[in-house]
Amino acid sequence: MLASGNAVRTVSSYDWSASALGEPALWPQPLRLAADLMFNTPLPMLLAWGEQPIVLCNEAYGALAGPGLSRVPGGSVPAVLPPPFAAAGAALAAARRGEPVLVSGATVNFGAGQARFDLHFTPVGADGVLCALAVAEPEQAAPGEPAGTLSILVVEDNLDSQYLVCEMLKAFGYDADGVAHPDDALAHLAARRYHVLFTDVSLPGMSGVDLARLSLERYPHLKVIFASGYGDMLLRHLDFPYQSLQKPYELDQLQDALGQVTSALRAGS
């Protein structure tokens, strides 16, 4: 589920009573410092600690991995290695020996699909490895394949949610910009070509429905996806095609909607 969070997070933000690590006051200092850094960083990150290992993750990684992940922040011994570790086993082993490693363009398979990341492995003391995920540069399209990346304008006045949605879209290989106000959305649409308008229904100054209608009058090629906390109640009898997601929505639902947009664009419809 995509949700906004507090501005600052540390190990003290979570309940560790059921974790294999126990109370943070008893943690080794390198583990505590690395965990605080990870939880307060917007990049998706994992922390492996010990020989087993125990694996922690931050909420950005939890949103990226999807509903199949155990509860954030983790602190459990996984039955299988998390996808970034499984995708770069040799790099993980090298980092466990104390060597910082960068794996460029690794393909990481999550439940909702796969994406390419640069994986930054950093040793933490003698017992830990910190792994940060950064979106890799897009690969060049092969001859005969559709070129370019699906570009999405996200219109959401909750700035925390807007940031998280945009970062997750970028992590899955999309080109995403975010704005909070319909006027800013119209300015962005005038400045560059977008494939998708992904907008909240309830916005300041103008509803998302009116924004979509005005945008389609000016840019008929746009595909529209609404996010609404009211279901489809406010979207009945619209005179233009759209998709809608009920808030709160899962990342895989948004992925499915964007997959339909991609298929439609490739089919020329």
Side-chain angles (χ1 to χ4, degrees):
M1 182 184 301
L2 299 178
S4 61
N6 296 329
V8 176
R9 291 190 182 276
T10 68
V11 294
S12 301
S13 303
Y14 302 97
D15 178 10
W16 297 94
S17 59
S19 165
L21 290 170
E23 289 300 319
L26 303 178
W27 293 6
Q29 187 67 7
L31 172 60
R32 177 67 183 259
L33 288 174
D36 279 342
L37 173 65
M38 177 181 69
F39 291 135
N40 199 38
T41 299
L43 278 177
M45 299 182 78
L46 292 164
L47 176 59
W49 187 262
E51 290 295 327
Q52 298 186 44
I54 296 171
V55 176
L56 294 76
C57 65
N58 62 8
E59 297 203 12
Y61 179 83
L64 182 64
L69 182 74
S70 62
R71 67 178 183 86
V72 172
S76 61
V77 179
V80 295
L81 285 176
F85 290 162
L92 174 62
R96 292 175 69 89
R97 296 192 299 268
E99 305 170 25
V101 181
L102 167 62
V103 180
S104 299
T107 298
V108 181
N109 294 289
F110 294 106
Q114 63 178 215
R116 294 175 63 253
F117 295 93
D118 295 335
L119 304 178
H120 300 256
F121 291 88
T122 303
V124 178
D127 298 302
V129 173
L130 195 61
C131 176
L133 287 71
V135 181
E137 289 295 323
E139 295 177 320
Q140 296 296 320
E145 292 185 356
T149 301
L150 197 67
S151 57
I152 305 162
L153 180 61
V154 177
V155 190
E156 168 61 70
D157 60 336
N158 182 307
L159 296 183
D160 287 339
S161 294
Q162 178 200 121
Y163 174 81
L164 184 56
V165 170
C166 288
E167 290 305 302
M168 294 304 102
L169 288 173
K170 292 174 184 176
F172 278 99
Y174 298 110
D175 180 8
D177 293 323
V179 296
H181 196 279
D183 290 345
D184 295 328
L186 293 172
H188 273 66
L189 290 169
R192 61 164 295 188
R193 181 182 176 89
Y194 290 93
H195 299 105
V196 181
L197 176 66
F198 178 41
T199 178
D200 194 359
V201 170
S202 178
L203 293 171
M206 178 189 301
S207 74
V209 171
D210 290 337
L211 171 63
R213 182 176 288 110
L214 180 57
S215 299
L216 286 169
E217 289 175 0
R218 299 178 181 180
Y219 316 103
H221 68 277
L222 273 175
K223 304 298 183 183
V224 175
I225 304 175
F226 289 114
S228 173
Y230 306 97
D232 285 338
M233 181 175 60
L234 301 179
L235 304 176
R236 294 173 183 170
H237 312 303
L238 293 185
D239 54 355
F240 56 84
Y242 67 90
Q243 297 185 66
S244 65
L245 300 177
Q246 169 73 45
K247 286 185 172 182
Y249 53 85
E250 302 291 346
L251 186 60
D252 58 350
Q253 294 175 297
L254 179 55
Q255 279 283 88
D256 289 343
L258 293 172
Q260 294 179 42
V261 168
T262 302
S263 297
L265 290 172
R266 286 177 176 168
S269 58

